[in-house]
Amino acid sequence: MITQKKKLLFVILAVLLIVVSIVGWQVAKLYLQPKTTETANVTTPEAKTTRTTTEEPNSDGDEKEIKERVNKALQTQASNNKKEKDSLEKNLEAFSKAYLTYTSVTAESDFEKAAPYMTETAKTANQPNSDEQYEGNHDIYKQSVLDTEIFLDVDMEDTKGSFITIATCHSEGEGGTSSDFQWMLKGKIEKQTDNSWLVAEVSNGNPSNFPEQFFQ
C-alpha cells in the first residue's frame, strides 16, 4: 500500500518532469529559429543571382541595338556626303562651262553667269576689266565648252577643298576660223555658312603651258 510520503514524491516528480519538458521545448525553439533565418539569408543571394542572370540577355540586346543605330547613322551620313559631293561636282561643272563660255564683245556680261558660283574675293580677282584679256581683241572671238571632266579633292566634313576641270572648248573667229582645244581650270573651294560651296580661287590656261607646280 502506497504511503502518503510516496504519493507526495510522485507528484513532485511529475511536476518536475512537466517543467523540464516545457523548458526543453523553449530551448529547442531558440536553437531552431537561427537556422531558419540563416536559410532565408542564404536563399536571398540566389534569388538575386537569378534576377541578374535573366537581365543579361537584355543588356546584350541593348548593345546590339546601339550598334545598329550607330551603323545606320554612319550609313546615313555617308549617303548624305555622297549626295552633297555629287551636287558639288554638278555645280563645278556648271561654273566651268559658264566661266569658259564668252565672246570678246560680251565678256563682262558673260562673266556674270559664272559669278554666282564664286566668292566675292574670287569675283573681284577674276572680273574681266576689258576684252583685251581674251584672244581676238581686234576681231570677234567666241568660245564655248563642249565637254568637261571634273577632278574633285575634298572631304565633305571639312570646309575647304580643291578641284581641276579639264574642258574641251570650241572657238570661232572672224573669217570662219575655228578650232577645238583643251583648256584647264584649277581652283580652290570653300564651304559657306549655309553649307553651300563656292569657288574661292581659280586660274586657267592651256594644260601644256602650265608649270609643273600647277599640278601639285
Side-chain angles (χ1 to χ4, degrees), residues 93-103 134-135 141-150 165-173 177-185 203-207 210:
E93 181 181 3
F95 162 74
S96 300
K97 288 180 177 180
Y99 189 79
L100 295 174
T101 299
Y102 59 87
T103 74
Y134 299 92
E135 293 183 45
Y141 174 82
K142 298 179 181 180
Q143 179 174 298
S144 59
V145 177
L146 299 177
D147 191 22
T148 60
E149 189 172 4
I150 308 295
T165 301
I166 303 295
T168 301
C169 298
H170 175 76
S171 67
E172 294 181 4
T177 60
S178 65
S179 64
D180 294 342
F181 58 93
Q182 278 197 326
W183 209 247
M184 184 165 68
L185 300 179
S203 54
N204 68 97
N206 189 325
F210 270 66

Side-chain angles (χ1 to χ4, degrees), residues 85 88-89 92 150-154 156 161-164 189:
K85 189 173 182 178
L88 176 57
E89 288 181 352
L92 289 174
I150 308 295
F151 299 91
L152 184 58
D153 182 14
V154 64
M156 303 312 296
S162 60
F163 74 97
I164 291 178
I189 53 176

Side-chain angles (χ1 to χ4, degrees), residues 35-55:
K35 293 182 179 180
T36 305
T37 304
E38 184 178 353
T39 303
N41 292 336
V42 171
T43 55
T44 300
E46 293 178 357
K48 289 182 179 179
T49 303
T50 303
R51 286 197 297 271
T52 302
T53 303
T54 55
E55 289 175 358

Side-chain angles (χ1 to χ4, degrees), residues 84 119 159 190-198:
E84 185 180 357
T119 64
T159 59
E190 292 181 355
K191 181 178 283 189
Q192 308 302 299
T193 55
D194 62 353
N195 289 329
S196 64
W197 290 85
L198 294 178

